[in-house]
Amino acid sequence: MVGGGLGAMIGGVHRIAARLDNRFDLVAGALSSTPETAARSAAEIGLAPERSYADFREMARAEAGREDGIEAVSVCTPNHLHFAAAKAFLERGIHVICDKPMTATLEEALELARIVAASDALFVLTHNYSAYPQIRLARDLVAQGALGPLRLVQVEYAQDWLAAPVESKQAAWRTDPARAGAGGAIGDIGTHAFQLARFVTGECPTRLAADLTSFVPGRRLDDNAQVMLRYASGAKGALWCSQVAPGTENGLKLRVYGETGGLAWSHETPETLWFTPLGEPARKLRRGGPEGTMAGSRVPAGHPEGYLEGFANIYSEAADAIRAAQAGERIETLLPGIADGIEGLRFIDACIRSNAAESGWVEILP
Amino acid sequence: MVGGGLGAMIGGVHRIAARLDNRFDLVAGALSSTPETAARSAAEIGLAPERSYADFREMARAEAGREDGIEAVSVCTPNHLHFAAAKAFLERGIHVICDKPMTATLEEALELARIVAASDALFVLTHNYSAYPQIRLARDLVAQGALGPLRLVQVEYAQDWLAAPVESKQAAWRTDPARAGAGGAIGDIGTHAFQLARFVTGECPTRLAADLTSFVPGRRLDDNAQVMLRYASGAKGALWCSQVAPGTENGLKLRVYGETGGLAWSHETPETLWFTPLGEPARKLRRGGPEGTMAGSRVPAGHPEGYLEGFANIYSEAADAIRAAQAGERIETLLPGIADGIEGLRFIDACIRSNAAESGWVEILP
Amino acid sequence: MVGGGLGAMIGGVHRIAARLDNRFDLVAGALSSTPETAARSAAEIGLAPERSYADFREMARAEAGREDGIEAVSVCTPNHLHFAAAKAFLERGIHVICDKPMTATLEEALELARIVAASDALFVLTHNYSAYPQIRLARDLVAQGALGPLRLVQVEYAQDWLAAPVESKQAAWRTDPARAGAGGAIGDIGTHAFQLARFVTGECPTRLAADLTSFVPGRRLDDNAQVMLRYASGAKGALWCSQVAPGTENGLKLRVYGETGGLAWSHETPETLWFTPLGEPARKLRRGGPEGTMAGSRVPAGHPEGYLEGFANIYSEAADAIRAAQAGERIETLLPGIADGIEGLRFIDACIRSNAAESGWVEILP
Amino acid sequence: MVGGGLGAMIGGVHRIAARLDNRFDLVAGALSSTPETAARSAAEIGLAPERSYADFREMARAEAGREDGIEAVSVCTPNHLHFAAAKAFLERGIHVICDKPMTATLEEALELARIVAASDALFVLTHNYSAYPQIRLARDLVAQGALGPLRLVQVEYAQDWLAAPVESKQAAWRTDPARAGAGGAIGDIGTHAFQLARFVTGECPTRLAADLTSFVPGRRLDDNAQVMLRYASGAKGALWCSQVAPGTENGLKLRVYGETGGLAWSHETPETLWFTPLGEPARKLRRGGPEGTMAGSRVPAGHPEGYLEGFANIYSEAADAIRAAQAGERIETLLPGIADGIEGLRFIDACIRSNAAESGWVEILP
């Protein structure tokens, strides 16, 4: 693991997700850019001291040279380090599981794509929400034509934790352009919303018009974005992300409407997917229940699974893919990867360009 | 009553709303522009034959001349007739309760404002959703500063009844520019969403950027609109209205966020208003329950009231205002009126202008 | 109308319900047993003074003698007067629409049945909850075998308004054995729950075991009841009613389970009926929506109807039945009547007997 | 681990729960009473072959003799083996984490209490639902008097997976008196509901009256139970458990009402606890949110945690207790244990006695 030391939130999530299905052992880390924090974090987590590194490049070098060196690495640093860390390991043939947004800039993202293409190692991006079983079911329904040709995509991701100025390790880097990249809310949560809609619909919008705001005085990155979307197919959409909406928690919601049916999903009840064929009653499709599968499930319907289990699906599927790769095979998976990462950075970049151009329509895709 | 004959939907609603609190007797009507339908409708409703008119101008003239002539008239024709009908009665001193959108064009709306100003009669616009008790409570909370300075307004109104081509009296005029005016969904339901947000927040947005679509082949008016909003105060917002979203019914939803609190309301559960002060648990404020009033309520909390009761609040408050006016007084009410009507037409007009200008920002207010 | 004077709650409900569909005019009343209150109530409601009576027997006599005398009467007094009032009008051939519980004692109920049988007039009991469209749909689904043979009936009705000692006109008579009859919560709301379950299932339980409690010190009637039910068919059930459950409002809920399907309905969202065929996803059946009818509806799906509209369905169907009776016909209706009233009193009586016998099983049906 | 081999459901749950917070390594097992299945299960899970045992007594003996022998054992066999397995390990000083119901009979439960008392090892019973953070918050609110003196406890646990005859490993032993013990639904899920209510209220009911049913033809144990409860404090309650309620999944619900407030919790949304002080609006208390703590949480509010995380709380708290015990200390925990197990068996026993006595009241506590 790179990053994820004491005081980090998402590092702990990655560790649980990796462990949940017993597919990974955590044996080495560069857990902090502060050597002392790295060492203390490693001790707390139980790493052997000799495999706790003060620097991820050193870690990549050392682990690549060990007989029992790591097979894969989790990158969960602030955004500005994703590129360098991923590069260091990919270039040594070590599989990378990386948090999002993939890089700090679109240029880095495109460069990373070249590195991934040149490497034998896999690159997985933890857009964890796309691994909820009911989200995968939604994707299947769309792909099977259950909604007919798509017309509308409404997606939103609302939080309230940055509604007032916040002093915390989590908040500090996310609101600092030097560490978060050019996007605030659009990078941290907007990319999740964007990827979720793209994953379910199978379509990436081609143009957007965005209105970005920093509501909290002194904030240097956006904490709210209104975005209108257009698709090549003629579908349209809207994306709203906010970190200043009091009363919301981690409010990711997706609704997709086609000519003959509609879908609705909310993160507050992630095990329920609403599916309404036009002219029929709404059906409550439940994880593990009728008209679904047990894929990506651990316990029967009605025993709530949640965020960590969804995140673990990414890790466990990555383990499958890594084992296959080690055997010289590429298996089909639904894992988000380099293409999603590039689209995410294109999304951020397009939002910023549109916002600078008085919310005019700009191209997302080249 | 003008309009509302056999086969109409909203005419029946107006009649129930007027009757519910026993404040009006329906005694005369020009219920259809087709004389034969007008007569049959009048007979079915129980009007005296001599007070069933084939033409609303004739009705205005005749009733104004009767000793026992009507005191007020409901106008619930298709939109293109609102102006002429309202004018006919207002100019004879008969109070007008008119459906929305107020007129077919902004020019008519501005002209109607002059007529209202010159008349002793009252003009009430049936933006019924603003008369739900919990919506009025929401307005009070905002006005009292319970949310702090406002930042965000998210409002939407989604239906699915026009997702496929529809052959019905309701659908025919609403999708015909000659009868509906220039707006389709934006006129029929967008104006409701716009007024609801404006009523609760006390602020009218000053600029918007709109993307209008007619998804159903051959449809001549918009059936979906994405709109971004900006307020003079610095607040921002989004409005989505659609008539092609399968699985939605009459899905009006409003969320308002300020610096220190948030509100959420959904028409599917109109008696619940969610209020969350930042950093406190969400409170479920119920019609007739604690932290509310019984104003606009007929039965205790937990005995569901709904659409017709909210609509009746408009009629009953109009009755209060009419009685006061007859006594030479003007009472304070929350009734929507000419100003709301003009704002609604400005909203439609601005949507169309922005859409024509590649979704660029346009002024709503002069 | 008999009863329902100033300060009464349910009288106003009856008046709105009668008026909503424009099927009744209220022209006479004995609105209070206190003559002065009766007169003031009549004036406020707008009755002609000569048709405001100080006594319901006098009213029955006088109205029966008028050319334009009333055709039907609403009885909404406290329970102890239902019998005498209903009797007075039925014996003069005036149709009676009576609130529940039907009478104060089972003996009165049985006597009333004889009076009804001997009268040409109709007797309707306002078990209004059974007139919700989705409750009628539930009944249809059961009758059509959509659940298979029934196994379980779980019904409850929870309120909190009597959780503390209450001083109000509503509370005073409901907690007074002399006016409410032998049942407190079981009479006031338990009979509603009992009738609702019986209406939907088509089966009346034959035995019950009850545990009644008066939680509030000094209260002379039950304010809570736990009841176990057994049906002749082998089905079983439970009924809980309470007026001391803080956080509940008017919480009537029904769940019915058969071999091959289940239904769930809650009064908080009366327009939704959940139907789950075993092994299929739950379906959200909405008033006015797919797989339902518009019977008993006034406005399309998504425009909430509620308590008053459900209550109005009773009145409007009663109007149909009365018109038919006047034409010498008996039409099929779903109106609750004398049989429901007797079952309600048998339920109360059985609860009291079981409770007195250490919650032993007792017969409900003779 | 004892039990939990291939095809078992709950064994996998225990393994994830133990692993989630990285507090346990699974190193030995007697995973099935069929030696061949035990061996295959061990291989699949990754146990060293020499630590896969065909018999739990052999395992207890062997592991107790190893330098690196297990410190604790999970017992997740069918119920009839719990006693013997727990005994085998406790008597060798190995800590036991045991599934519920604790034993097959009350006699075994009482005997196990003696064994636990005589052992230095800890005994933990996996009543996992009591480890949900919002359930622990509910317990705190009751203990702090937020509800006032308790009056009512309504608890239910409804499933539908046994609504029809089922052929599966899970179903086979749960419906077999020889392996499940004397209780069917009351043992499998009724004990959970009973313990949950007891945990939150801090009170064990003293008497009950039960009506047990086996609805599915040929079923030898109850698949449905209606139970009325009485408490020494004067509170009353009802417990319903069913495995034949189509449309329910794993529907555990608890409502507790006192003189001055009420609580409601449903397993379908385990992160929400509804708290209503009498006369105030309902408050939606969320895991990790305001008025709660992060105890027992891994991720911030709005990132759903569920069943496995709740179950893991038991394991992780057991790890704390075991570490303390190894240091010669007893720490305060909320872990369910031998007392809960005995109460559970008393509950089963009382249900069966009451049912045999025509649902008469019987004592639960001695």
Side-chain angles (χ1 to χ4, degrees), chain D residues 79-111:
Chain D
N79 306 341
H80 68 304
L81 298 173
H82 288 180
F83 173 76
K87 180 174 188 290
F89 290 90
L90 287 168
E91 290 183 345
R92 292 183 186 272
I94 294 170
H95 306 289
V96 172
I97 299 168
C98 181
D99 212 302
K100 42 47 57 189
M102 188 169 74
T103 55
T105 66
L106 177 55
E107 291 66 38
E108 283 181 352
L110 296 171
E111 174 62 17

Side-chain angles (χ1 to χ4, degrees), chain C residues 154 156 211 226 230 255, chain D residues 156 211 226 230 255:
Chain C
Q154 303 290 120
E156 64 181 54
D211 190 13
Q226 306 284 8
R230 288 182 174 175
R255 293 174 288 180
Chain D
E156 64 181 54
D211 191 13
Q226 306 284 7
R230 288 181 174 176
R255 292 174 290 180

Side-chain angles (χ1 to χ4, degrees), chain C residues 151-152 154 156 163 211-213 215 224 226 230 236 238 240 242 245-247 255 257-258 261-262 276 358-359 361, chain D residues 151-152 154 156 163 211-213 215 224 226 228 230 236 238 240 242 246-247 255 257-258 261-262 276 358-359 361:
Chain C
R151 287 174 170 170
L152 286 165
Q154 303 290 120
E156 64 181 54
D211 190 13
L212 309 184
T213 316
F215 277 110
N224 188 82
Q226 306 284 8
R230 288 182 174 175
K236 298 200 174 176
W240 171 51
S242 185
R255 293 174 288 180
Y257 303 104
T276 312
E358 279 288 301
S359 309
W361 291 104
Chain D
R151 287 174 169 169
L152 285 165
Q154 304 290 120
E156 64 181 54
D211 191 13
L212 309 184
T213 316
F215 278 109
N224 188 82
Q226 306 284 7
M228 301 195 297
R230 288 181 174 176
K236 298 200 174 176
W240 171 50
S242 184
R255 292 174 290 180
Y257 303 104
T276 311
E358 279 288 301
S359 309
W361 291 104

Side-chain angles (χ1 to χ4, degrees), chain D residues 133-203:
Chain D
Q134 294 316 82
I135 288 296
R136 293 186 166 188
L137 176 57
R139 176 188 169 94
D140 287 348
L141 286 168
V142 171
Q144 293 158 14
L147 308 196
L150 298 188
R151 287 174 169 169
L152 285 165
V153 179
Q154 304 290 120
V155 65
E156 64 181 54
Y157 198 150
Q159 303 179 326
D160 68 4
W161 71 295
L162 295 177
V166 175
E167 305 273 339
S168 78
K169 179 169 177 177
Q170 316 304 332
W173 73 257
R174 281 184 174 80
T175 57
D176 174 7
R179 288 177 284 173
I186 53 170
D188 197 35
I189 56 176
T191 50
H192 269 312
F194 187 81
Q195 192 267 346
L196 189 78
R198 195 264 187 266
F199 179 84
V200 168
T201 60
E203 287 188 67

Side-chain angles (χ1 to χ4, degrees), chain A residues 154 156 211 226 230 255, chain B residues 156 211 226 230 255:
Chain A
Q154 304 290 120
E156 65 181 53
D211 191 13
Q226 306 284 7
R230 288 183 174 174
R255 292 173 290 180
Chain B
E156 63 180 56
D211 191 14
Q226 306 285 5
R230 288 183 175 175
R255 293 174 288 180

Side-chain angles (χ1 to χ4, degrees), chain A residues 150-154 156 158 160 162-164 207 209-213 215-217 224 226-230 234-238 240 242 244-248 253 255-263 276-279 355 358-361, chain B residues 150-154 156 158 160 162-164 207 209-213 215-217 224 226-230 234-238 240 242 244-248 253 255-263 276-279 355 358-361:
Chain A
L150 297 189
R151 286 175 170 169
L152 285 165
V153 179
Q154 304 290 120
E156 65 181 53
D160 68 5
L162 294 177
R207 305 176 76 199
D211 191 13
L212 309 185
T213 317
F215 277 110
V216 173
N224 189 81
Q226 306 284 7
V227 188
M228 302 195 297
L229 304 169
R230 288 183 174 174
K236 298 200 174 176
W240 171 51
S242 185
V244 297
T248 62
K253 294 185 189 180
R255 292 173 290 180
V256 181
Y257 303 104
E259 275 186 37
T260 60
L263 289 176
T276 312
L278 185 62
N355 188 60
E358 280 288 302
S359 308
W361 290 105
Chain B
L150 298 189
R151 287 174 170 168
L152 286 166
V153 179
Q154 304 290 120
E156 63 180 56
D160 68 3
L162 294 177
R207 306 176 75 199
D211 191 14
L212 309 184
T213 317
F215 277 110
V216 173
N224 188 82
Q226 306 285 5
V227 188
M228 303 195 296
L229 304 170
R230 288 183 175 175
K236 297 200 174 176
W240 170 51
S242 185
V244 297
T248 62
K253 294 185 190 180
R255 293 174 288 180
V256 180
Y257 303 104
E259 275 185 37
T260 60
L263 289 175
T276 311
L278 185 62
N355 188 61
E358 279 288 301
S359 307
W361 290 104

